[in-house]
Amino acid sequence: MSEVEARSAASRLHDQLEAIVELLRRHDDDESPLPAELQAELRRQLDELHPADIAFILESLPLDDRLAVWQLVKADRDGEILLEVSDAVRESLIADMDRQEILAAVEPLDADELADLVEDLPTAMLPELMASLDTQQREQVQSALSYEDDQVGALMDFEMVTIREDVSLEVVLRYLRRWDELPAQTDKLFVINQDNLLTGVLPLHWLLVNSPEKMVSAVMAPDVNTFHPTDDAYDVAQAFERYDLVTAPVVDERGHLIGRITIDAMVDVIREEGESEALSRGGLREEEDIFASVWASLKNRWSWLAINLVTAFIASRVIGLFEGSIERLVALAALMPIVAGIGGNSGNQTITMIVRALALNQITAESAKRLWRKELTVSLLNGLVWGGVIGIVAWLLYDSLSLGLVMTAAMTLNLLLAAFAGVGIPVLMTKFGRDPALGSSVLITAMTDSGGFFIFLGLATIFLM
């Protein structure tokens, strides 16, 4: 999809959201149900939307409107939509469903999809849900649930096409014609032997362009990108991106084929990882329903705000140490936010790059030292150039060459501090097994604020007083 098409699709979705909100506004009485004509119009609009678009609309509505719209969604689409919405919104939707509605919603789902929802379902109904599955489905769900959420085993798909290596392509074609439809994202067939060991893959386009008389073993690709159920999902998503994969087999330690991983699951992993990293940098513990209760939002945000308050108090006390200097030279009060602000910006640039490199496993113990030297050199040059610029400005504004030199020196030193911390904070957090993005922007801003104030006011006190 081109950028123009993507913008057009986003615009259409926003227009659909606005249309649904407008219909809801026609009914201002929160106590009475929606009139029949409004329900019919809303239901008609919802029926025309993709489950992912309905999920977006539900996430964009306040709780009361969200539940009103949710009640109008066709029951046979509930499961697909529950898979698409965020965890926080899914919780509110499931809470509004009774036991029979939940069972009906999950009934058409595949085992891997059902495993995604199980943790959010009421615990009391899980035995009944598992009892409603056939033996194969139950084993597949239990298999998926036995792995961590960030492992391939929790995301793998059990629906796939397998063929034997000792048959001809004509036999394979006859076999495929017996299917009503192939599983989604099928770009290759998995070749196994009589012991269910994976021996290769047969891309569909190879099947179509080769002679039907040829044997599968003669046409298949024996070298396959395989993954294990315990592999980290984000590492596998990077492999999908690197090798342009659509599907890939999942095998156990003995090489037995147990499932497949698909590109749509990997796209979700990459998106969720990006969202999680963005939230972590801001000090948020988890994805938040934008219409969540005040208490729920407070619990998600308070911890890093408390840390930020402490660091802000430290910065204020640093300024307090130099109250006498500020009183004697008021220009310091006007200039010191510049030093702290530029340092924070530079530090955030560095820390963003380092966190990304750590996520991609591009940093080793040796390369971390080289990165430190490189970032310190970049910051030194930036400090001399831009510190020199603001130093000249300060000289011209306040007719003080010494103040301009202090400004240049302070800017340079604070940028060096920002570079040192920008590399050091995520590397140390990774070393101690923590998410390198967690609160990174809060920490770097705290260091460059306190450090910038201390450096600038300290140099001013020494050389200008």
Side-chain angles (χ1 to χ4, degrees):
M1 181 183 291
S2 69
E3 184 178 350
V4 173
E5 291 173 330
R7 284 201 300 267
S8 178
S11 177
R12 285 196 300 272
L13 184 55
H14 180 74
D15 291 342
Q16 289 162 342
L17 172 61
E18 291 287 350
I20 288 176
V21 170
E22 182 60 32
L23 285 173
L24 292 169
R25 283 178 186 154
R26 294 183 194 173
H27 180 65
D28 296 328
D29 186 0
D30 294 332
E31 300 299 325
S32 62
L34 290 171
E37 62 273 14
L38 282 183
Q39 290 189 28
E41 177 61 21
L42 279 169
R43 189 176 286 112
R44 184 191 65 78
Q45 293 196 23
L46 292 171
D47 289 346
E48 296 175 355
L49 297 178
H50 188 277
D53 294 337
I54 297 177
F56 170 81
I57 288 171
L58 291 171
E59 291 172 351
S60 306
L61 293 173
L63 182 59
D64 291 341
D65 290 341
R66 176 187 302 159
L67 296 181
V69 171
W70 177 237
Q71 292 298 327
L72 299 176
V73 174
K74 285 185 177 179
D76 59 359
R77 307 184 74 192
D78 286 353
E80 294 177 293
I81 296 168
L82 288 174
L83 289 171
E84 296 288 348
V85 295
S86 65
D87 292 344
V89 173
R90 182 188 300 152
E91 183 178 338
S92 68
L93 298 179
I94 290 177
D96 190 56
M97 303 170 70
D98 60 32
R99 183 176 59 84
Q100 290 301 326
E101 287 176 327
I102 294 175
L103 289 174
V106 301
E107 182 181 0
L109 299 181
D110 295 331
D112 58 308
E113 296 173 329
L114 184 55
D116 289 340
L117 291 181
V118 163
E119 292 184 357
D120 297 311
L121 300 180
T123 305
M125 67 170 298
L126 292 184
E128 182 179 1
L129 172 62
M130 297 300 287
S132 68
L133 305 176
D134 61 37
T135 303
Q136 184 182 35
Q137 284 182 310
R138 193 179 306 117
E139 290 176 353
Q140 291 173 347
V141 171
Q142 291 172 342
S143 174
L145 291 174
S146 67
Y147 300 102
E148 300 292 334
D149 290 342
D150 59 353
Q151 291 182 326
V152 166
L155 304 172
M156 64 182 176
D157 183 2
F158 299 97
E159 190 176 6
M160 55 191 168
V161 182
T162 59
I163 57 175
R164 294 282 294 273
E165 60 182 350
D166 55 355
V167 299
S168 68
L169 298 186
E170 183 179 2
V171 172
V172 173
L173 288 168
R174 288 204 304 266
Y175 170 63
L176 293 181
R177 292 190 188 102
R178 293 165 54 188
W179 289 66
D180 293 331
E181 62 177 339
L182 295 179
Q185 312 293 338
T186 297
D187 69 319
K188 60 177 69 75
L189 311 178
F190 301 116
V191 184
I192 56 175
N193 61 17
Q194 59 185 1
D195 297 320
N196 197 41
L197 289 171
L198 182 72
T199 58
V201 295
L202 178 62
L204 286 181
H205 62 279
W206 290 10
L207 172 63
L208 297 176
V209 300
N210 278 281
S211 171
E213 288 76 24
K214 288 187 177 180
M215 301 297 291
V216 168
S217 57
V219 178
M220 70 181 190
D223 296 326
V224 188
N225 288 298
T226 60
F227 301 101
H228 298 281
T230 55
D231 288 345
D232 182 85
Y234 187 64
D235 292 340
V236 174
Q238 291 175 330
F240 263 65
E241 182 182 11
R242 187 179 309 119
Y243 302 121
D244 296 326
L245 300 177
V246 175
T247 62
V250 180
V251 298
D252 62 17
E253 63 278 359
R254 291 174 296 177
H256 292 123
L257 180 66
I258 58 175
R260 66 169 184 158
I261 200 74
T262 60
I263 183 63
D264 53 345
M266 295 296 95
V267 169
D268 288 341
V269 167
I270 293 173
R271 175 183 56 80
E272 290 169 4
E273 184 71 19
E275 291 176 352
S276 176
E277 183 178 310
L279 292 170
S280 295
R281 281 202 300 267
L284 294 174
R285 295 183 299 172
E286 58 187 21
E287 185 178 4
E288 182 181 305
D289 178 2
I290 60 173
F291 296 108
S293 67
V294 172
W295 176 240
S297 295
L298 281 175
K299 288 192 297 182
N300 193 32
R301 304 181 195 185
W302 77 270
S303 56
W304 279 97
L305 286 178
I307 294 173
N308 209 353
L309 178 62
V310 172
T311 59
F313 179 76
I314 293 172
S316 72
R317 297 318 306 149
V318 169
I319 296 173
L321 294 174
F322 300 96
E323 285 179 351
S325 301
I326 296 173
E327 288 176 356
R328 292 173 61 186
L329 188 57
V330 179
L332 298 180
L335 294 174
M336 65 183 184
I338 299 175
V339 176
I342 296 299
N345 183 273
S346 177
N348 273 309
Q349 289 177 341
T350 300
I351 212 166
T352 298
M353 184 190 69
I354 299 301
V355 166
R356 178 183 179 277
L358 286 169
L360 296 174
N361 294 319
Q362 293 176 333
I363 297 181
T364 63
E366 180 61 31
S367 63
K369 298 177 183 177
R370 297 185 63 182
L371 277 172
W372 247 317
R373 290 196 295 269
K374 175 226 172 183
E375 290 300 317
L376 288 171
T377 302
V378 170
S379 294
L380 176 62
L381 295 175
N382 273 330
L384 292 174
V385 172
W386 298 111
V389 170
I390 194 63
I392 292 172
V393 172
W395 175 19
L396 296 175
L397 281 176
Y398 299 100
D399 195 24
S400 172
L401 175 60
S402 55
L403 177 60
L405 292 174
V406 164
M407 190 70 182
T408 301
M411 180 80 78
T412 302
L413 291 174
N414 198 33
L415 288 183
L416 289 172
L417 172 64
F420 185 84
V423 177
I425 289 173
V427 168
L428 285 176
M429 292 184 76
T430 300
K431 183 177 180 180
F432 291 108
R434 303 299 298 275
D435 180 0
L438 183 61
S440 57
S441 64
V442 177
L443 294 175
I444 194 71
T445 300
M447 293 194 68
T448 53
D449 280 357
S450 299
F453 293 148
F454 184 82
I455 291 168
F456 179 58
L457 295 176
L459 290 175
T461 300
I462 294 172
F463 295 106
L464 301 180
M465 297 299 123

